[in-house]
Amino acid sequence: MPDPNGFLRYDRRLPARRPVPVRIMDWREVYPPAGEELTREQATRCMDCGIPFCHDGCPLGNRIPDWNDLVRTGGWDAAVESLHATNNFPEFTGRLCPAPCEAACVLGLGGQQPVTIKQVEVEIADAAAARGGLRPQPAPAPTGRSVAVVGSGPAGLAAAQQLARAGHAVTVYERDDALGGLLRYGIPDFKLEKRHVDRRLAQLAAEGVRFRTGVDVGVDVTAEQLRAEHDAVLLACGALQGRDTPETPGRALRGVHQAMAHLVAANRVVAAAGEGQPALATLPDGTPIDAAGKHVVIIGGGDTAADCLGVAHRQGAAGVHQLDLYPEPPADRDAARDPWPTWPWVLRSYPAHEEGGDRVFAVAVQEFVDDGTGQVRAVRIAEVTVEKVDGRRIVTALPGSEREIPADLVLLAIGFEGTEDQPLLAQLGVTRNGRGAVDARPDWQTGADGVFVAGDMHRGASLIVWAIAEGRAAAAAIHAYLGGVGTLPAPVDPARQPLAAR
Ligand SMILES: Cc1cc2nc3c(=O)[nH]c(=O)nc-3n(C[C@H](O)[C@H](O)[C@H](O)COP(=O)(O)OP(=O)(O)OC[C@H]3O[C@@H](n4cnc5c(N)ncnc54)[C@H](O)[C@@H]3O)c2cc1C
Ligand code: SF4
């Protein structure tokens, strides 16, 4: 019986983040481990409320009260078993998930702070890894069927693990030189050190998953060849088509880049340093892209923008401004707009924000200003209001509000427009919908029979927890398509949406 009064005895507490002056000198993770005592204390705050809305908040349906109580009572081995029953990679979500489960925690109903669910999750996963508890679970017998997974992000990897454990021969194709999708070269090490990704990849390899890196499917291998070699294909190619702003004057100036160009270059430098190879942050064509000594302007307010901010601090930027089109959100949930247990619109500050930089809300760039040599020297911004009219966004600049912000490096982190239009799609006869995503039938098949889709490629740019949930569900559908014995868990269907007030 869980402790019904734990939340009355203990306040919500997270481990202290590493001090800012220390952590911006390196690329290591911001949070140190919480340790057993704090984790147990915080797990005790879960009262096992009886109708755990956190289950619905989590797309994976993680059995949160179960593992909270197991941690409280010291049952760490059973806790990780319970966690792995619904989540292939809790060390990724425990570090990176925005935790919609916490927004849905029943403690929030009574005005209490939610349980630190994702922190408990990561501690369980890390403790298991430290004890050597991420042992491979190879299938007892092969089925003789084979599956190609295109893309090695969390969706592709979750599906690959589920299918390999069910006995199918799985090959993951990845066009990058290293595996992990956005976990590898998109998300910086200060949020996720890559040893966690490598440890899981070793587990998958030991379970029989074959990996082929440096293979751009549709270019290096045709879709026809892939279909001839495999009984089913899963597309998990992500939603990497960055939104741009070609209409803004000065967009073509040197120094104005997509955010991902900056992040990938920086992450590659960190990866090379880990192998003892000094490297410069450059674009694929060799152009340097580094924030050292520069005035940086980041346009956008989400995860990507915050990651650029943290990278700019670590590269030694002279100053950073982060611009957001929308007004500053409130500090607390507006219950009329976003009632519990839905995901609230509130001001979200990432650890990168406490490291420095200025956030400017309700502004839009009017022009990237030329220094006379074709290099950006400033951005001209105006204060704006944003309205939705017939589903369209109308941005109105306030007259007389324009001003300049110095800028040597401008990073566009204004979202993604779905999956890239690439040869693979035409070869398969698969088309993108109006959002740039690929539709799935209720059984996760695309318009092409035997070709399935999961993750950001289906959902549009989203979250790791959704990618894993869709990867698991698509694996279950592929297993059924291949006539596999029994069923695999399918936490979501293709139409599933986050919790919302109706
Ligand atoms: C900068 C940034 C920070 C983020 N931070 C967070 C966060 O903190 N928390 C969170 O929950 N989410 C975060 N996200 C979102 C999260 O990373 C994605 O939702 C998730 O990675 C999607 O997983 P996926 O497997 O669908 O695709 P991806 O991770 O995008 O992987 C797709 C893979 O497919 C490969 N591929 C594409 N086409 C081909 C082809 N033809 N042949 C072979 N390979 C191919 C790509 O190279 C890529 O490796 C962030 C996203 C970005 C961009
Ligand atoms: S995966 Fe995300 S939503 Fe699910 S329990 Fe973990 S932190 Fe919460």
Side-chain angles (χ1 to χ4, degrees):
M1 163 75 187
D3 186 335
N5 299 322
F7 69 97
L8 296 174
R9 284 187 285 124
Y10 303 115
D11 289 334
R12 178 183 163 101
R13 281 201 299 144
L14 289 169
R17 292 188 275 273
R18 294 168 60 222
V20 170
V22 175
R23 73 184 194 231
I24 62 167
M25 301 301 288
D26 63 45
W27 295 87
R28 288 180 22 240
E29 284 175 7
V30 164
Y31 280 98
E36 194 169 330
E37 197 182 326
L38 177 59
T39 309
R40 188 181 289 210
E41 171 195 293
Q42 292 299 303
T44 304
R45 293 187 70 243
C46 178
M47 62 177 145
D48 193 12
C49 52
I51 305 181
F53 275 81
C54 52
H55 281 202
D56 295 324
C58 175
L60 286 163
N62 275 349
R63 301 167 189 167
I64 296 158
D66 291 4
W67 36 261
N68 274 333
D69 197 48
L70 286 164
V71 167
R72 183 184 71 84
T73 52
W76 289 80
D77 286 335
V80 79
E81 210 169 297
S82 169
L83 191 46
H84 279 144
T86 55
N87 187 354
N88 298 70
F89 313 125
E91 67 279 23
F92 304 161
T93 45
R95 284 181 168 76
L96 299 168
C97 189
C101 56
E102 293 186 15
C105 175
V106 166
L107 284 178
L109 254 184
Q112 298 275 341
Q113 288 291 308
V115 174
T116 57
I117 296 171
K118 79 171 197 163
Q119 186 66 37
V120 176
E121 181 176 10
V122 79
E123 295 294 331
I124 296 171
D126 285 357
R131 289 194 311 275
L134 301 186
R135 278 183 294 279
Q137 298 171 33
T143 61
R145 312 306 300 274
S146 96
V147 183
V149 174
V150 187
S152 67
L157 293 181
Q161 184 163 63
Q162 294 296 96
L163 289 163
R165 287 178 174 179
H168 306 297
V170 182
T171 306
V172 176
Y173 296 84
E174 170 56 57
R175 68 184 173 192
D176 261 340
D177 59 353
L179 299 158
L182 284 170
L183 303 177
R184 175 68 59 182
Y185 292 133
I187 293 173
D189 284 54
F190 56 80
K191 278 171 56 178
L192 177 76
E193 290 174 13
K194 304 313 165 201
R195 61 194 167 94
H196 305 297
V197 181
D198 294 336
R199 193 167 46 216
R200 277 298 172 184
L201 291 170
Q203 187 193 38
L204 265 74
E207 290 167 351
V209 176
R210 291 179 62 222
F211 294 112
R212 291 189 59 192
T213 51
V215 179
D216 189 344
V217 179
V219 177
D220 302 316
V221 176
T222 64
E224 203 174 276
Q225 288 169 310
L226 206 66
R227 300 204 68 173
E229 275 181 40
H230 301 281
D231 299 308
V233 175
L234 173 65
L235 303 178
C237 301
L240 299 166
Q241 184 64 55
R243 182 167 293 133
D244 213 310
T245 175
E247 69 289 353
T248 307
R251 167 63 185 93
L253 292 173
R254 289 194 311 279
V256 183
H257 299 284
Q258 282 284 348
M260 286 305 291
H262 178 236
L263 290 174
V264 170
N267 287 335
R268 282 187 176 279
V269 171
V270 177
E275 289 168 11
Q277 299 165 4
L280 285 176
T282 58
L283 300 176
D285 68 2
T287 310
I289 178 167
D290 191 291
K294 293 194 175 136
H295 294 283
V296 181
V297 172
I298 301 165
I299 305 174
D303 272 328
T304 308
D307 289 356
C308 288
L309 180 64
V311 167
H313 294 320
R314 282 159 183 76
Q315 290 181 335
V320 191
H321 283 88
Q322 187 189 342
L323 312 183
D324 200 321
L325 195 59
Y326 292 96
E328 183 168 342
D332 298 315
R333 183 194 287 275
D334 174 349
R337 177 196 151 122
D338 306 312
W340 177 93
T342 64
W343 181 244
W345 183 63
V346 292
L347 180 65
R348 291 180 206 286
S349 292
Y350 299 78
H353 290 113
E354 109 190 329
E355 295 164 0
D358 295 310
R359 293 170 96 170
V360 189
F361 292 94
V363 293
V365 175
Q366 308 298 294
E367 182 188 357
F368 302 106
V369 185
D370 194 341
D371 73 350
T373 71
Q375 159 71 37
V376 68
R377 71 158 178 80
V379 292
R380 191 161 51 77
I381 60 168
E383 291 171 24
V384 295
T385 57
V386 186
E387 285 176 288
K388 272 260 165 83
V389 179
D390 297 334
R392 279 183 41 243
R393 198 171 66 179
I394 310 284
V395 180
T396 311
L398 301 180
S401 69
E402 291 192 4
R403 64 190 163 101
E404 278 189 10
I405 297 180
D408 313 304
L409 175 64
V410 179
L411 301 170
L412 305 177
I414 51 179
F416 294 86
E417 291 183 329
T419 200
E420 296 146 289
D421 190 12
Q422 50 169 312
L424 171 63
L425 299 185
Q427 290 170 15
L428 289 168
V430 168
T431 51
R432 298 183 304 158
N433 62 24
R435 295 181 301 110
V438 171
D439 288 329
R441 297 182 239 163
D443 67 354
W444 296 95
Q445 286 190 77
T446 62
D449 288 342
V451 179
F452 298 72
V453 64
D456 278 8
M457 189 174 191
H458 162 254
R459 175 162 284 275
S462 179
L463 297 172
I464 292 159
V465 63
W466 278 103
I468 299 173
E470 292 209 355
R472 287 171 70 85
I478 293 170
H479 183 67
Y481 173 83
L482 296 177
V485 177
T487 54
L488 299 183
V492 291
D493 63 46
R496 170 81 179 268
Q497 293 299 321
L499 272 181
R502 304 262 174 245

